[in-house]
Amino acid sequence: QLWLEKGHPALFGTPERSAATREAWLEVLRKAHPSAAVELSALSQTLQRHAAAAGEVAQDMEPLFEEPAMGATMSLYHILNTAPTNTTDTRPSACTSTLVRKPDGSLLHGRSL
């Protein structure tokens, strides 16, 4: 969270801005990628249930498992870990996303996360 606050203060600089940005991002994700949003919701609910059952330490993680936080993380991960054109990402990465530009200029997004 700290790097977002420092790097993008207009979006994440205060708890209120951060919450509003995450809510807005989640709403866009729901409209643009409804199947991903459904998966995110199921994952969020499962993680929150496990955290609640695991005890006090895991319960501190619960805010990270809320849909808005996970939606922003899910979206930012692909944006911030995209390798420059004609290069190879040499860092270990769990990214399973593929972007393909079609001849008409539209974009296909494939993912297995």
Side-chain angles (χ1 to χ4, degrees):
Q1 177 66 33
L2 183 59
W3 66 272
L4 286 174
E5 291 173 11
K6 300 295 182 192
H8 302 284
L11 298 174
F12 298 99
T14 66
E16 295 79 15
R17 286 182 186 162
S18 183
T21 298
R22 288 176 174 169
E23 287 290 343
W25 208 311
L26 181 59
E27 186 58 32
V28 170
L29 183 66
R30 285 180 178 140
K31 289 179 182 176
H33 301 285
S35 63
V38 169
E39 291 175 31
L40 175 73
S41 179
L43 182 59
S44 171
Q45 291 171 26
T46 300
L47 289 170
Q48 287 185 62
R49 246 189 338 271
H50 284 286
E56 188 175 324
V57 173
Q59 288 176 4
D60 291 341
M61 302 277 299
E62 283 187 59
L64 299 175
F65 300 147
E66 292 174 359
E67 285 184 58
M70 289 182 65
T73 301
M74 183 175 98
S75 301
L76 286 170
Y77 181 84
H78 296 290
I79 294 168
L80 299 175
N81 286 303
T82 302
T85 303
N86 298 322
T87 65
T88 301
D89 186 4
T90 58
R91 298 176 315 219
S93 175
C95 183
T96 58
S97 182
T98 302
L99 297 174
V100 178
R101 185 176 305 278
K102 294 173 34 178
D104 67 1
S106 62
L107 213 56
L108 296 176
H109 178 212
R111 62 183 169 75
S112 63
L113 262 171

